[in-house]
Amino acid sequence: MTDPQVALLMLGLFIFVVFLGFPIAFTLMAMGIGFGYYAYFDGDRMWRAYHRLSETAGALERWSDWIAGFFNNRIFDLFINQTYSVMSNEVLTAVPLFLFMGYIVERANIVDRLFSTLNVASKNIPGSMGVAALITCALFATATGIVGAVVTLMGLLALPAMLKARYDKSFATGIICAGGTLGILIPPSIMLIVYAAASGVSIVRLYAGALLPGFILVGLYLVYVMGRSILQPHAAPRPTADEVPDVPIGRVVWMLITSFFPLAVLILAVLGSILFGLATPTEAASIGALGGIVLAAGYRALTFQRLRESVYLTARTTAMVCWLFVGSYTFSSVFSYLGGEQIIANFVTGLDLSPLTFLILAQIIIFLLGWPLEWSEIIIIFVPIFLPLLPHFGIDPLFFGILVALNLQTSFLTPPMAMSAYYLKGISPPEVQLTDIFRGVMPFLFMVFIAMAIVYAAPDAIYWLPNLVYGR
């Protein structure tokens, strides 16, 4: 087999092994090292010291030199260098800090207060509970960026209240699933940090570019929720006085001041300091982590147990992301060295696609990959395959990245592997079936596709804020 054929075998074998359920990070590292050993194999160089041994050398010396030669393959040097480059990547330093901010906020009992406040404040709006749940999901998801945590917690808080208020089961569950995924799009998003590290695009421009598309998607969700509540009142009945009591306006304002505004101010302070150049993403993330601790202390929810859990979960998730990067970098380096990247580039360019056709094809592939894979695996492993092709089609990596971020909303919502649906099903009452949740997320999937179409038709939705703040 030629080296390019080996590269294609490497890629096909990786996809096959992933579908068998092996851990992706370690599969990437194992296959990168295994195929890399073949790619960089040079027996004369590796066993040079062994071949130079004199005939009088003892058996122990011969064995030690032979084993040393076995590990004298350049793939091990590559693996060490890739590990060091990932661990010293300044962009990725913000990941554990943002994660810690999210985990500490999640454990501070802020969301319970926030949902109760928004539920009271939006009482007279059509679909008020759905609107309150969606806004709470969006704000909390933005603060955490951890989809499973947001969907699970909101499922425990909001879903019972919505079902008690006679909301349609699929409508209520769809709102929570869709709202819980917004944190990977709206800054400060961990997914955008990972894309910036993989693509080399400025993270501050990515954050600025993602703001308007994120608000567009939230706006579409809210329009759907209120519109359906008006057209189908039985799907979202107005709450009774027993379900949501009448509260004086002064009391509502105080509830907003003590629940909504502290979290909103924390997010805006972190995001604003990044967008206006007052702090790097890492510095802003550290302020956010400190702000999360202060918030938890202010709500009297900061305990050693919660702090320890937050640190542990942060370390575990960060390690997963970093080892995915190490495995991906090693795998892609070997794949490129064998000529696989050039084969793919030649194949795609030989199709003579238009930029629009290429974008649609790329987004369809990413959409399909979202069925079996997590967003982190798609961004770290598969998106870099498309990145070298972007200059050929004249596509800006910033524009491409925002489209991918919108597209990856679907990876949590699309059956049969809609992780948000499974998160919610795990804590839902028995009468809520998985089919109810799948049926509920379908309209929100349609909203995602509309948002992608709007962004493509009006690219200024992405470029307006970055160009305004940073220039062209």
Side-chain angles (χ1 to χ4, degrees):
M1 295 178 69
T2 63
D3 283 354
Q5 290 173 332
V6 173
L8 294 180
L9 173 64
M10 177 185 181
L11 181 61
L13 186 61
F14 165 72
I15 295 173
F16 173 74
V17 171
V18 165
F19 277 98
L20 291 180
F22 283 85
I24 293 182
F26 298 107
T27 300
L28 283 167
M29 286 187 278
M31 295 190 67
I33 291 174
F35 280 88
Y37 197 91
Y38 160 81
Y40 294 103
F41 187 86
D42 184 353
D44 292 338
R45 187 190 68 83
M46 292 167 59
W47 281 283
R48 185 178 301 152
Y50 174 78
H51 292 314
R52 288 178 177 176
L53 287 174
S54 64
E55 294 181 359
T56 59
L60 180 61
E61 186 178 2
R62 287 182 175 277
W63 271 107
S64 63
D65 277 18
W66 189 90
I67 293 174
F70 180 83
F71 288 102
N72 194 24
N73 191 295
R74 288 194 177 94
I75 185 58
F76 298 108
D77 298 330
L78 174 67
F79 181 71
I80 292 171
N81 289 333
Q82 299 289 21
T83 303
Y84 178 79
S85 67
V86 169
M87 300 307 172
S88 61
N89 190 318
E90 293 184 1
V91 175
L92 292 177
T93 309
V95 170
L97 295 169
F98 277 131
L99 284 171
F100 179 77
M101 180 181 80
Y103 282 123
I104 200 70
V105 166
E106 176 196 349
R107 280 156 176 73
N109 298 328
I110 297 173
V111 180
D112 192 0
R113 290 169 173 257
L114 182 60
F115 175 67
S116 300
T117 300
L118 292 175
N119 201 12
V120 170
S122 62
K123 180 178 180 179
N124 296 320
I125 297 175
S128 57
M129 277 193 178
V131 171
L134 188 56
I135 295 176
T136 304
C137 279
L139 193 63
F140 184 43
T142 303
T144 63
I146 307 158
V147 172
V150 178
V151 172
T152 301
L153 189 54
M154 286 303 299
L156 291 170
L157 292 176
L159 185 59
M162 295 168 77
L163 295 178
K164 184 179 179 182
R166 306 173 307 284
Y167 268 60
D168 180 79
K169 289 184 290 185
S170 64
F171 188 41
T173 54
I175 290 171
I176 294 173
C177 287
T181 66
L182 289 167
I184 66 168
L185 170 62
I186 303 175
S189 162
I190 293 172
M191 194 217 74
L192 293 177
I193 296 176
V194 174
Y195 178 81
S199 65
V201 178
S202 166
I203 181 60
V204 293
R205 294 189 72 91
L206 273 171
Y207 273 3
L211 269 180
L212 280 181
F215 291 151
I216 288 171
L217 186 59
V218 174
L220 289 171
Y221 286 173
L222 289 172
V223 167
Y224 166 70
V225 170
M226 290 188 288
R228 182 172 175 185
S229 301
I230 294 171
L231 296 175
Q232 296 180 338
H234 64 276
R238 288 186 177 274
T240 64
D242 293 334
E243 293 162 349
V244 181
D246 291 320
V247 178
I249 186 65
R251 177 64 179 167
V252 173
V253 171
W254 176 249
M255 292 170 67
L256 286 170
I257 291 174
T258 57
S259 61
F260 177 81
F261 288 106
L263 184 58
V265 168
L266 174 63
I267 295 170
L268 291 175
V270 171
L271 188 56
S273 62
I274 295 173
L275 294 180
F276 294 105
L278 302 177
T280 65
T282 301
E283 292 166 346
S286 64
I287 296 300
L290 177 62
I293 294 176
V294 172
L295 269 184
Y299 286 109
R300 299 181 181 179
L302 183 63
T303 64
F304 177 75
Q305 177 66 20
R306 288 170 176 164
L307 186 64
R308 185 177 67 176
E309 288 176 358
S310 299
V311 171
Y312 166 73
L313 291 170
T314 298
R316 187 180 69 176
T317 307
T318 303
M320 180 272 292
V321 172
C322 288
W323 285 118
L324 266 175
F325 264 104
V326 171
S328 174
Y329 282 7
T330 305
F331 184 94
S332 60
S333 296
V334 173
F335 183 74
S336 179
Y337 182 80
L338 289 170
E341 188 176 287
Q342 192 60 43
I343 285 183
I344 293 176
N346 291 339
F347 173 76
V348 174
T349 54
L351 294 175
D352 197 24
L353 302 173
S354 68
L356 174 59
T357 308
F358 170 76
L359 267 180
I360 293 174
L361 178 63
Q363 297 305 323
I364 290 174
I365 292 173
I366 291 170
F367 172 75
L368 295 176
L369 288 172
W371 294 6
L373 300 178
E374 294 275 358
W375 67 262
S376 55
E377 294 150 4
I378 296 171
I379 291 290
I380 296 172
I381 302 167
F382 291 98
V383 167
I385 295 176
F386 296 106
L387 291 174
L389 299 171
L390 299 183
H392 174 78
F393 293 98
I395 298 172
D396 185 358
L398 171 63
F399 181 79
F400 184 76
I402 302 303
L403 281 180
V404 170
L406 279 168
N407 195 347
L408 286 178
Q409 301 289 306
T410 65
S411 68
F412 291 94
L413 303 175
T414 311
M417 297 298 291
M419 292 309 300
S420 287
Y422 291 107
Y423 292 141
L424 187 57
K425 173 56 183 171
I427 49 87
S428 296
E431 65 268 20
V432 176
Q433 301 297 317
L434 196 57
T435 52
D436 295 324
I437 304 176
F438 285 160
R439 189 167 60 251
V441 300
M442 287 302 169
F444 293 96
L445 276 176
F446 185 60
M447 296 298 113
V448 174
F449 296 140
I450 292 177
M452 292 178 68
I454 291 173
V455 167
Y456 180 80
D460 280 347
I462 293 175
Y463 291 119
W464 176 77
L465 188 56
N467 291 342
L468 178 67
V469 179
Y470 311 111
R472 295 183 179 273

